[in-house]
Amino acid sequence: MNTVIIGAGINGEVCANYLARGGHSVTVLERADRVGGACVRHVTDIDGQTFSFPGGASVFGFMQDFVWRETGLADRLQFEPADNVYYYPAGSRGSSGPWRHMEEEDSPQFHADGEKVAAFLQKGFRDAEVPTLESANRQIGPELTKLWITGSARDLVDHYFTSPEQKIAIVLSVNESGPVGIDEAFSAFTISLMHTGSVDSEGRWGYVKGGIWRVTEELERLNGRLDVTTVTSARVLSADPDSGRVVYEKDGVTTALHADQVVFATEPLTAARLIKDRSLEEQISGMRLMGTSGKVVMFFRDHPRFKDGLGDTLRFLICNTELDVFNEAALSVKQSATADFVPGYLELYPESRSDDLGYGLLSVFFKHVTLGKIGEELSHVRQFVVDQVLALLDNPEDFIGSILRTPQDLCTVFGFAGGNIDHVEIANPHTYVGRTFSTHPSESFFQFGSHRRVYYCGAGTYPCGSVAGTGGYMCATQILRGQ
């Protein structure tokens, strides 16, 4: 069987790996000059010095441990788990430490139920099963299905906690990529997903030694050993969904390939346009595509040292410490035509913690920033983020400079429709049973539209994006089964 995969991000590379080991002849086409998608190394010059930094994703999580092992990544890369996550109210300046009383109200039942839901979801990933509410009700029961899958994030945290700070800490992930309200149906499902990673035995997120971009770089090398052909700087011109004929251009030369299956590991609008399915394109255009996450990368002469003395762990700065205010901020940029930025929360990732880079590197993902302006137009937003972080450090004098990436930058740099790194908001109706573009999801969940030989496994499909490859694995498995 000949398979052409369009897009060499994490899902495209994982899909190629499993299909090649399953006996397929695989060609991967990538429009950029290197593999990686949003898991890629970028460089910048500041004061004559060259710095490497992750252009898209920073922290490593969500990849299932079996994907880590079976692809061969576990033998080639070193994972550095983060020891813990600490939460601070923004403006606390870090010297007084995080919200310590959160530990006093920790809920064993929340963790026990979360692990039960996670085990159910992980089994579905492993078996490449079509997600259904029937299987959820049958395996974890109607109460947990309602709380953790179909219900709202607010109802979930209200069920287990009373502390506003603890509730905020749990719901942060709900609108991490887009403007999703915590009262929306299925918004609890994002919290469920957070329990399903990672390659670490304790489920901790963390870093890849040498940079997160090594995940896709090593996958390309591993796939090469499986005789996968990868063509970079390849601009796909068309993909015929009926014949499987894919035409691309590289260095002025046009080439046609014939495939039994075509797999798109792109964002969904690009896929619909390439197969010239206007009905599917209109459907996707009407989906909730908007992203509201920004990213500031901060560079230091030396590794940043935090006043709290807690080492190189993950830290969240919370700008809104009441649920209603938090929720209003999440929706503000979407609802206002004039709001460029409304402070929400900042996620601090000390990426140079395990690498001898010769400089310090700190990535800060933050909420909520407009779609429509590039980072160079929002210097005041970048300065706000930088000021918040420097107030936490013992060595702010080592700060050299920073780069801001906005949702509009994601559109330009990576081609993400709506500037959403997950391609589609993790929100009703585009999550769990609805996170598919298939006309017949019960028969072939990763089929693209109604096209028998065309599949989609980009971040817009189940379960979500991030550097996980779960969608790529599940898609490949269903193809190998003949679904």
Side-chain angles (χ1 to χ4, degrees), residues 69 86 91 100 108 110 139 149 158 180 199 203 221 225 237 248 255 293 296 364 385 400 431 438 440-441 448:
R69 296 190 311 271
Y86 293 95
R100 299 199 183 277
F110 171 80
Q139 295 185 48
I149 295 179
D158 282 349
V180 179
V199 302
R221 295 186 183 98
R225 294 182 177 183
L237 304 177
Y248 71 93
T255 302
S293 291
V296 169
V364 186
V385 174
I400 301 172
T431 191
S438 174
H440 307 289
F448 195 52

Side-chain angles (χ1 to χ4, degrees), residues 240-262:
D240 190 311
D242 298 318
S243 67
R245 187 172 186 263
V246 177
V247 180
Y248 71 93
E249 182 270 331
K250 176 180 172 67
D251 298 332
V253 178
T254 301
T255 302
L257 301 174
H258 294 272
D260 298 295
Q261 293 94 15
V262 178

Side-chain angles (χ1 to χ4, degrees), residues 64 114-127 129 131 136 139-140 148-149 189 191-196 432 462-463 470 474:
Q64 299 299 295
E115 289 175 5
K116 185 182 296 185
V117 174
F120 159 69
L121 295 175
Q122 288 168 328
K123 184 179 185 302
F125 299 159
R126 170 81 270 194
D127 296 340
E129 292 180 344
Q139 295 185 48
I140 62 175
W148 289 82
I149 295 179
F189 181 64
I191 298 171
S192 301
L193 285 177
M194 296 301 292
H195 283 70
T196 62
Y432 197 59
Y462 185 77
T470 309
M474 294 181 72

